[in-house]
Amino acid sequence: MAGSEGAYEPEAVPGRDTGSDAGFGEGAGRRARSRTRSSGSPSSSRAEKGEPRDPVEQARNICLRLLTGTPRTRKQLADALRKREIPDEAAEEVLSRFEDVGLIDDAAFADAWVESRHHGRGLARRALVRELRTKGVDSAVIDEAVGQLDSEQEEATARELVARKLRSTRGLDRDKRLRRLAGMLARKGYGEGMALRVVRQALEEEGEDTEGLDEPF
């Protein structure tokens, strides 16, 4: 129909902008915010995620996470930092600081390791030295730690190990029992002479004839 009075005008749809700015309001705002976020630098993105940009701070956070719940040696932490490509200078600064405040203590680590592995697993000094070397502990520190164990303590532990294993070897011939028991002690780091002496005594107490068992196994 002619004339402006009867001209049809679309009804506004609830929740929808039908004005001239339609398409520029909420949707455009989202797009604009998205562009703003995407245009940010990688460093700002890392900062938003809480990742430190300073390598010293990165090294500190890595070490603290690794030390949570379990002690570690300086070498173990240094290897972890190197694997994560922390610069050597930053790693050295953090590791030295952690040593100064006692968060890294290789001597205490070695002492605790000897105590735990000897009484928990029955390991002899030779095996303990080997394990501590793989952890990167200094030789002088290792010597002092394993010095906690004297020969009498080591032999007493060897006897306990043989006594627990002895029953499972009954029914085997004497030489096979000897090899099995002595081999068990050897794997735990006991020397040949001590192993032979301990096994021979255990077999004698069971009534085995141990004549000829003085030869190396």
Side-chain angles (χ1 to χ4, degrees), residues 17-82:
D17 185 0
T18 58
S20 60
D21 288 337
F24 186 77
E26 183 179 351
R30 284 196 299 268
R31 289 193 296 274
R33 288 193 296 272
S34 176
R35 285 195 299 271
T36 301
R37 286 194 298 268
S38 63
S39 62
S41 66
S43 60
S44 64
S45 176
R46 286 196 299 269
E48 289 174 1
K49 295 178 180 178
E51 298 177 8
R53 288 170 287 178
D54 179 11
V56 171
E57 186 66 22
Q58 287 180 316
R60 185 180 296 112
N61 289 347
I62 290 168
C63 288
L64 287 174
R65 284 198 300 270
L66 291 174
L67 288 169
T68 299
T70 181
R72 295 177 191 269
T73 65
R74 179 176 176 128
K75 181 180 184 301
Q76 287 177 307
L77 293 172
D79 289 345
L81 294 178
R82 191 174 301 111

Side-chain angles (χ1 to χ4, degrees), residues 149-162:
L149 299 176
D150 57 29
S151 297
E152 291 183 2
Q153 174 63 52
E154 205 171 42
E155 185 163 334
T157 302
R159 293 186 189 284
E160 292 174 6
L161 292 170
V162 170

Side-chain angles (χ1 to χ4, degrees), residues 1-193:
M1 180 180 294
S4 60
E5 182 177 351
Y8 171 74
E9 295 182 4
E11 295 181 2
V13 178
R16 179 178 177 185
D17 185 0
T18 58
S20 60
D21 288 337
F24 186 77
E26 183 179 351
R30 284 196 299 268
R31 289 193 296 274
R33 288 193 296 272
S34 176
R35 285 195 299 271
T36 301
R37 286 194 298 268
S38 63
S39 62
S41 66
S43 60
S44 64
S45 176
R46 286 196 299 269
E48 289 174 1
K49 295 178 180 178
E51 298 177 8
R53 288 170 287 178
D54 179 11
V56 171
E57 186 66 22
Q58 287 180 316
R60 185 180 296 112
N61 289 347
I62 290 168
C63 288
L64 287 174
R65 284 198 300 270
L66 291 174
L67 288 169
T68 299
T70 181
R72 295 177 191 269
T73 65
R74 179 176 176 128
K75 181 180 184 301
Q76 287 177 307
L77 293 172
D79 289 345
L81 294 178
R82 191 174 301 111
K83 183 178 180 181
R84 290 163 174 79
E85 300 182 348
I86 299 297
D88 289 344
E89 288 186 4
E92 180 65 25
E93 178 179 338
V94 170
L95 293 173
S96 295
R97 176 59 180 162
F98 274 37
E99 277 189 327
D100 290 342
V101 299
L103 291 175
I104 299 175
D105 188 338
D106 282 5
F109 177 96
D111 288 344
W113 188 269
V114 168
E115 177 74 15
S116 172
R117 299 288 282 175
H118 178 72
H119 293 290
R121 295 285 305 279
L123 299 187
R125 284 175 290 186
R126 185 183 302 174
L128 293 167
V129 168
R130 186 167 55 245
E131 289 187 340
L132 286 169
R133 281 177 179 164
T134 67
K135 305 292 183 184
V137 179
D138 183 76
S139 295
V141 175
I142 293 175
D143 291 343
E144 187 171 347
V146 298
Q148 300 176 45
L149 299 176
D150 57 29
S151 297
E152 291 183 2
Q153 174 63 52
E154 205 171 42
E155 185 163 334
T157 302
R159 293 186 189 284
E160 292 174 6
L161 292 170
V162 170
R164 291 201 295 265
K165 187 76 172 176
L166 199 62
R167 179 177 297 179
S168 66
T169 67
R170 288 172 185 159
L172 301 176
D173 66 62
R174 187 198 65 176
D175 290 345
K176 187 171 289 186
R177 296 185 82 186
L178 170 67
R179 287 194 299 272
R180 184 165 297 184
L181 294 169
M184 177 268 295
L185 291 178
R187 288 191 295 275
K188 291 182 179 291
Y190 292 89
E192 184 178 281

